[in-house]
Each structure stands twice: as structure tokens, then as C-alpha cells.
Amino acid sequence: MTAPPPNGDAQAIGRLRADLDGAMGVMRDNMRNMAERDVQLQDLEGKSNTLHVASGTFSAHATRLRKEQEWQRCKTRLAIISVVLFLIWILIFIFIGERMTFLIISAVLLAIILPLTWCGIRHWRQQEDQESFRDVDGYPLD
């Protein structure tokens, strides 16, 4: 028969078991906290991605709005310049002696200016259309 362990060894084994149980409890708590943090990090990552997409969309809309306002200002300026030039043209026509020569020169200038203006506006709109086909990061869409 084996003799029972001495009383001191039983106490040492009890303390070791208590320490081991305490360490296991701390490890379980740490693992639970780590799992909770992982869920929180995944939630934060989802919110970050949503914010990134929203900021890209906002940037694209802001760029489009800025270009629309720029075009509106350009049209307003062209209208004002056209009215002023028309009034000057009328004043010159009234006070000039060579009306036929004036009309011919005016027609030639108008024939040159209108196509140039049309080409400029067309070029500007093509650039705007090309930029509208880019995604939020500024790279062309495939």
C-alpha cells in the first residue's frame, strides 16, 4: 500500500490547482474580450468602408456641381458680352458712313466667331463627359 502524501504536498498541490484555475479563468476572460474586440473591429471596418464610399460619392457630386456652376457662369458672361457687343455694333452701324462694307465685315467676323465658339463649347462638354466616366477615386471605369 502506498502511504498518503504528506500534508505539505497536498497544500502545495491545492495552491497550484488554485493558481492554475485562476490562470485559466483569466485566459477565458481574455479570449472573450478578444472575441468582443474582433466584433467591434469588424463593425468599425464596415463603417469605415461605408464612410469611404460616401465621401467618394460626395466628392464626385461636388465636382459635378462645381462644373455646372462654372458652365452657368460662363453662359452668363457670354450673354452679357453678346449684348454689349450687339449694342456697340448697332451704335457703329448707325454712325458709320459705309454701311455695306460694315455689314460685310460683320458677317465675315460672325462667320468666323460662331464656329469657333461652337467648337470650344463642344470640346468643353467632351472633357466634362470623359471626367464623368471616372469612378470616385479618379480612375477610369473599365
Side-chain angles (χ1 to χ4, degrees):
M1 287 210 248
T2 59
N7 199 12
D9 286 343
Q11 288 178 347
I13 291 174
R15 281 193 304 262
L16 285 174
R17 274 193 205 273
D19 288 343
L20 183 62
D21 288 342
M24 293 288 283
V26 169
M27 282 178 49
R28 284 187 196 107
D29 288 342
N30 285 344
M31 299 220 14
R32 192 176 316 113
N33 288 339
M34 194 168 65
E36 289 174 3
R37 286 189 183 116
D38 186 44
V39 169
Q40 290 173 346
L41 283 173
Q42 288 175 355
D43 185 43
L44 184 61
E45 184 180 7
K47 289 179 181 179
S48 173
N49 289 338
T50 302
L51 183 61
H52 176 71
V53 169
S55 69
T57 304
F58 176 79
S59 177
H61 287 296
T63 300
R64 174 168 276 164
L65 181 61
R66 180 184 53 82
K67 288 184 181 211
E68 286 176 4
Q69 288 177 341
E70 185 179 306
W71 176 240
Q72 192 65 32
R73 282 192 302 267
C74 182
K75 288 193 303 188
T76 303
R77 289 178 187 150
L78 284 174
I80 291 171
I81 290 170
S82 298
V83 168
V84 168
L85 288 176
F86 182 72
L87 290 175
I88 291 172
W89 185 81
I90 288 177
L91 289 174
I92 291 173
F93 183 73
I94 290 172
F95 294 109
I96 198 164
E98 298 278 334
R99 288 187 182 175
M100 190 51 101
T101 306
F102 177 71
L103 287 175
I104 292 172
I105 292 173
S106 296
V108 169
L109 287 175
L110 189 62
I112 292 171
I113 291 173
L114 284 179
L116 290 175
T117 305
W118 181 77
C119 288
I121 290 172
R122 193 170 125 211
H123 177 72
W124 184 80
R125 285 197 177 170
Q126 284 176 347
Q127 279 183 327
E128 185 178 88
D129 288 343
Q130 286 174 352
E131 289 177 7
S132 69
F133 287 121
R134 295 182 185 274
D135 68 353
V136 294
D137 292 329
Y139 298 108
L141 293 175
D142 294 8

